Amino acid sequence: MYKAVHPTHSYTQMLKRNLSTDIYERLKQRIMYWEYLPGSRLTEEALCEEFNVSRSPVREALGTLVEQGLVEKEPHKGYTVRQPDMGEILELYDVRLALEMYVVEWLAVNGMEDAVWNKLYKFWTDICENQPRGDLDFAREDEHFHEALVAATGNQILLQQYTSVIERLHYIRLMDITSDDKWIKTCNHHLKVLDFIREGDAESARNAIQKNIYEGRKNVDQAVKEILAKTYMGTKPRT
């Protein structure tokens, strides 16, 4: 006699994890793109109603946001979106710098695929020569450049760690490149990094990427103030 097949406990747990991951990703995007202002309260009841789910996946999603440092949980107060922490932001820049200095050194020593190098070099040369287009997302294109370098190492764990850091800095970096002068300076930095990688000059590649990242890091305090001012005035930073 055949027995009816029912979902196993592990299958049910997998579905819950998928739900909580989806909710986490959607809430994270709202925080990153300033749909939720710092200090905004997130309640389990409202989120359960919005996503039409039980408390379990919502609680797991909120717990992950707490672990990622995007949300705080206080006894008897619930969950709130964290205020930008300058000390933490600067530490993230330090981690980013350490990772990228390793990346460019690795690429200078071990080489980089011609197709990837040529594509990046052409794109940034065009920007330098033709000036940035008005419809270009400066912050996103800059992120794509750095992510492409990390991906070129072929180290997936390194890429995952780097992506986690850069996601947490994204809302700051929206204010990083705000003028044509800064954009052209960024272009030149990128081309120098690529030149040194192609030449196999690890030390110069490390110095060039350090200079590039320091340009953004030194403006962090002003960027945070501008973002908060624009946000609370009802003007979200460009995403």
Side-chain angles (χ1 to χ4, degrees):
M1 178 181 294
Y2 292 103
K3 293 183 178 180
V5 178
H6 297 286
T8 64
H9 178 70
S10 60
Y11 178 72
T12 303
Q13 290 296 105
M14 182 185 72
L15 291 178
K16 287 182 179 179
R17 281 197 299 271
N18 289 341
L19 273 176
S20 67
T21 299
D22 179 58
I23 295 169
Y24 160 74
E25 290 293 342
R26 292 168 71 176
L27 294 178
K28 181 180 73 172
Q29 290 300 307
R30 294 176 187 179
I31 294 170
M32 293 291 188
Y33 294 114
W34 298 83
E35 293 179 37
Y36 292 149
L37 298 180
S40 297
R41 289 194 62 215
L42 303 177
T43 66
E44 292 182 6
E45 294 83 358
L47 294 172
C48 288
E49 183 176 349
E50 177 185 352
F51 294 109
N52 193 28
V53 295
S54 65
R55 283 181 179 266
S56 179
V58 167
R59 193 167 293 153
E60 288 182 15
L62 290 170
T64 304
L65 289 171
V66 172
E67 292 174 3
Q68 292 294 314
L70 297 173
V71 167
E72 291 179 317
K73 183 181 181 182
E74 298 183 54
H76 313 299
K77 292 185 178 180
Y79 301 89
T80 56
V81 177
R82 284 188 63 191
Q83 295 281 349
D85 184 308
M86 283 303 304
E88 183 177 294
I89 291 168
L90 293 177
E91 288 177 357
L92 285 169
Y93 265 97
D94 289 341
V95 173
R96 178 192 171 198
L97 177 61
L99 292 176
E100 292 202 47
M101 289 181 73
Y102 167 79
V103 164
V104 296
E105 179 178 357
W106 191 96
L107 292 172
V109 171
N110 295 281
M112 188 172 176
E113 288 187 15
D114 286 342
V116 177
W117 189 94
N118 289 333
K119 182 178 180 180
L120 288 174
Y121 204 85
K122 181 181 184 306
F123 178 85
W124 291 98
T125 299
D126 288 345
I127 295 297
C128 282
E129 291 178 351
N130 301 318
Q131 301 293 312
R133 302 188 306 272
D135 61 342
L136 201 62
D137 186 334
F138 296 167
R140 184 63 70 188
E141 293 298 344
D142 184 51
E143 287 177 4
H144 286 168
F145 171 80
H146 293 278
E147 288 173 357
L149 293 182
V150 180
T153 67
N155 188 324
Q156 293 303 309
I157 294 177
L158 177 62
L159 180 59
Q160 290 172 8
Q161 295 300 314
Y162 179 79
T163 301
S164 175
V165 171
I166 212 68
E167 279 185 345
R168 293 174 66 180
L169 287 173
H170 179 74
Y171 72 106
I172 298 299
R173 303 191 67 249
L174 292 173
M175 301 296 294
D176 192 351
I177 308 172
T178 54
S179 68
D180 287 354
D181 287 343
K182 286 185 178 181
W183 187 233
I184 295 303
K185 184 182 291 187
T186 297
C187 290
N188 290 323
H189 285 163
H190 290 178
L191 291 175
K192 286 181 180 179
V193 170
L194 290 170
D195 282 335
F196 292 135
I197 288 173
R198 175 56 62 91
E199 294 166 7
D201 188 342
E203 183 178 357
S204 294
R206 284 167 58 88
N207 290 337
I209 203 71
Q210 183 179 53
K211 185 174 182 180
N212 179 227
I213 293 173
Y214 276 172
E215 281 292 324
R217 189 183 188 276
K218 71 181 182 182
N219 297 319
V220 165
D221 185 56
Q222 185 60 33
V224 170
K225 291 177 181 177
E226 289 183 23
I227 287 173
L228 291 175
K230 287 177 178 289
T231 302
Y232 285 112
M233 288 173 62
T235 306
K236 291 198 301 178
R238 183 181 58 189
T239 58

